[in-house]
Structures are given as C-alpha cells and as structure tokens.
Amino acid sequence: MGGEFRALPVPEGLEGMRVDQAVSKLFGLSRSVAAELVAEGSVLIDASRVAKSDRVRSGALLEVTLPEPRQAPAPKAELVDGLSIIYSDDDVIAVDKPVGVAAHPTLGWEGPTVVGGLTAMGFTLPDAGPPERKGIVQRLDVGTSGVMVVANSVQGYSVLKRAFKERTVSKLYHAVVQGLPDPIAGTIDAPIGRHPSSGWKFAVTSDGRHAVTHYELVEAFREASLLEIRLETGRTHQIRVHMSAVGHPCVGDPMYGSNPNLTMRVGLVRQWLHATKLGFTHPRTGDYMEVESPYPADLAHALEVLRA
C-alpha cells in the first residue's frame, strides 16, 4: 500500500537532473528507494510515467506517491560475544567489534548489534539520531571487524557526527588483497554507487558518490598483499569495491570477486579487512586521541598461512 501523495512543480535548481536524483533530493529518500519508486510507476511527470534516467524540466509537475515509512526494529539488549571495550568515558566509547555483528538494528537484520551489546553492558546511550541508532556516529560492515567509536552523550554525538561528516577523523584499515597492486602505494579516486544489476552490491559507477581510498603495501606474499588503507570518504563497502575495481579484491570476499581456492586455503569465511586505528579529537576535552584494535584470530591465522 502506498503512503503519502505529493505533487509539486520541479524547482529551477533541479533543471536537467535525473528523475531518481531529483526525487531523492526533494523528498530526502535514498537514491535506491527513489529508483524503486520510479520503476514501480509511483513517480509521474506531467501525468506521464518516466524512467529513472530521464531528465526533469523545471516547472514540470512532479507527482510522487511516497512509500509507507518503515521503521527499523528497536535494539535488543543482549551481550555480544567478543564485543570488547577499548576505551570509555562520559562522552565516547571505543569498541572492538567482532565479525558478524552489525552497528545497529536494520530492517532484515536479526543478529547481534553493537547498540544492543553496549546496552546489555549497562551503557545508557544518548537519545540522539534515530532511536535504533542510539549513539552510532559511524558504521562497520557486519563482515568487517575492528575499532569503532560510539557516542556516550548528546554532545559526544553531535561533535563526533560532524567530525565524520567533515572527514576530520583518521580512519586506518588493514586489508589482505589478491596479487600485488601496481604501484605499491597509491590513491583510488572513483565514484561508488549501487551496482546496476544487483541492488545489494556496490560498484564504481559514473553517477556514484565521490569516494577516495589511499593504500600502501605493508607486506607482500606469493599470492596476496597486506595493505594499510586510509579512507578519505566513508562509502558503503568502499575498500572492497575500490580494491576489486583495480583487480585486487580482498581475500575471502566472493561478492567482489575473490578466489575461492585461496580463501579456503587460508581458512577464511569472510573478507580479510580490519579497522585497525581511529584518530579523532575528543568531543569535550579537545585532545587528539587514537584507539587501536589488534588482528582477531581468524585474520592472524590467515596471515600465518600466507607467510608460510
């Protein structure tokens, strides 16, 4: 069942923009939701159906039936195996997130979350942001382990949220990728958007969002390389998409083209990708601080196999 119906003339500032982009901007929807609305005929321009790549003209009548608002489930307070506290004070909590844990509840995710784990440990996370994302200022993929910072106060939330948005947080990852990148240190600057044929996957696309990844070789093996990666932007699956795009997917990442034989040989059931260090300005004291996470057992074991 459709939600609210809205009709309005296309503003001059959107002249020539793609329909899905215009709907996304005007109604605060994600590009993928906007594209779905166009595909199912819930978007009309001057009473005619359109394709998502059609361009809008200023002054044309845009009619949209918005989707029913869907709410993510409330976080369940339950202790999360392997979730540990690296640092905490009244404003900031730094956690070591294990693989298989989401940052916060989302539609379709029934598993453990950082928010639920912290609540079960006795933390009262601030009521800032959406209710299911209490204190969450950044996210790590379910399949990625490592250090993650969570706000523990309303002030912590607003200051840290802004720091991530303005890219003043230093985000350092280690990844084991197939082959040896050439050059062994470089920058990948390529926009990332939804994969054209698989909605759950991302890809380098011409109309994607700006994304920049800096990498440097730490150690080379016969079939793979350990890289240190610094993210300038924070797009979904950014490292996995960028490394795959240059022909060096993360070991253990079949979604983005890894070799299943190598994955099996090193004993991995997920991508070799770990958030090793975060550097940020403390939201209350103004001091610069860094928090680090060591490699978990499965990633350390895979490295041993590669070295041997």
Side-chain angles (χ1 to χ4, degrees), residues 14-29:
L14 301 190
E15 171 74 51
M17 191 178 276
R18 282 172 56 116
V19 173
D20 57 349
Q21 223 173 342
V23 170
S24 160
K25 276 214 172 358
L26 282 172
F27 300 104
L29 303 168

Side-chain angles (χ1 to χ4, degrees), residues 11 36 43 66 110 117 122 135 154 161 178 190 198 243 247 271 277:
E36 275 171 35
V43 176
L66 295 170
E110 302 284 314
V154 174
K161 194 80 181 155
Q178 287 175 202
S198 315
M243 294 319 301
Q271 68 263 14
K277 191 191 287 185

Side-chain angles (χ1 to χ4, degrees), residues 250-299:
C250 292
V251 171
D253 192 4
M255 187 192 284
Y256 292 108
S258 67
N259 176 339
N261 297 331
L262 179 58
T263 301
M264 210 158 65
R265 212 158 51 248
V266 297
L268 283 178
V269 291
R270 53 110 162 198
Q271 68 263 14
W272 205 117
L273 180 59
H274 187 68
T276 49
K277 191 191 287 185
L278 272 178
F280 56 94
T281 302
H282 190 281
R284 194 172 297 272
T285 66
D287 294 335
Y288 185 75
M289 61 184 290
E290 284 187 335
V291 278
E292 294 188 55
S293 160
Y295 299 153
D298 61 337
L299 302 187

Side-chain angles (χ1 to χ4, degrees), residues 151-166:
N152 200 20
S153 68
V154 174
Q155 177 173 337
Y157 181 86
S158 61
V159 173
L160 287 168
K161 194 80 181 155
R162 188 166 65 243
F164 276 99
K165 191 168 193 247
E166 292 173 355

Side-chain angles (χ1 to χ4, degrees), residues 38-291:
V38 177
E40 68 191 27
S42 297
V43 176
L44 302 178
I45 291 182
D46 289 337
S48 301
R49 283 187 70 153
V50 284
K52 65 179 181 181
S53 57
D54 288 351
R55 304 284 167 172
V56 297
R57 288 179 302 101
S58 70
L61 183 67
L62 178 67
E63 299 173 84
V64 179
T65 305
L66 295 170
E68 290 282 4
R70 295 193 298 170
Q71 276 192 318
K76 287 198 296 269
E78 55 188 4
L79 287 169
V80 174
D81 201 26
L83 179 73
S84 61
I85 307 295
I86 302 171
Y87 171 86
S88 75
D89 62 28
D90 290 345
D91 299 288
V92 173
I93 307 163
V95 301
D96 202 341
K97 184 188 92 65
V99 67
V101 178
H104 58 77
T106 51
L107 288 157
W109 174 253
E110 302 284 314
T113 67
V114 170
V115 172
L118 289 175
T119 307
M121 285 179 189
F123 288 97
T124 310
L125 298 174
D127 281 318
E132 75 279 5
R133 295 187 198 182
K134 287 186 170 196
I136 294 292
V137 290
Q138 61 148 155
R139 285 180 291 192
L140 284 182
D141 288 350
V142 170
T144 303
S145 52
V147 64
M148 202 179 127
V149 69
V150 181
N152 200 20
S153 68
V154 174
Q155 177 173 337
Y157 181 86
S158 61
V159 173
L160 287 168
K161 194 80 181 155
R162 188 166 65 243
F164 276 99
K165 191 168 193 247
E166 292 173 355
R167 303 176 192 160
T168 58
V169 178
S170 160
K171 297 179 281 190
L172 216 61
Y173 290 75
H174 278 190
V176 172
V177 303
Q178 287 175 202
L180 179 66
D182 180 20
I184 56 171
T187 294
I188 304 164
D189 183 343
I192 291 176
R194 290 268 173 197
H195 192 283
S197 61
S198 315
W200 36 268
K201 199 171 150 182
F202 291 80
V204 168
T205 59
S206 58
D207 60 347
R209 298 171 73 192
H210 175 64
V212 179
T213 303
H214 306 280
Y215 70 88
E216 193 175 329
L217 180 71
V218 176
E219 193 176 347
F221 314 107
R222 201 165 56 84
E223 300 170 89
S225 307
L226 174 63
L227 306 181
E228 182 165 271
I229 293 175
R230 193 167 58 78
L231 285 187
E232 210 172 289
T233 52
R235 306 293 171 226
T236 305
H237 298 182
Q238 179 171 325
I239 293 171
R240 298 164 65 193
V241 170
H242 270 173
M243 294 319 301
S244 173
V246 294
H248 301 284
C250 292
V251 171
D253 192 4
M255 187 192 284
Y256 292 108
S258 67
N259 176 339
N261 297 331
L262 179 58
T263 301
M264 210 158 65
R265 212 158 51 248
V266 297
L268 283 178
V269 291
R270 53 110 162 198
Q271 68 263 14
W272 205 117
L273 180 59
H274 187 68
T276 49
K277 191 191 287 185
L278 272 178
F280 56 94
T281 302
H282 190 281
R284 194 172 297 272
T285 66
D287 294 335
Y288 185 75
M289 61 184 290
E290 284 187 335
V291 278

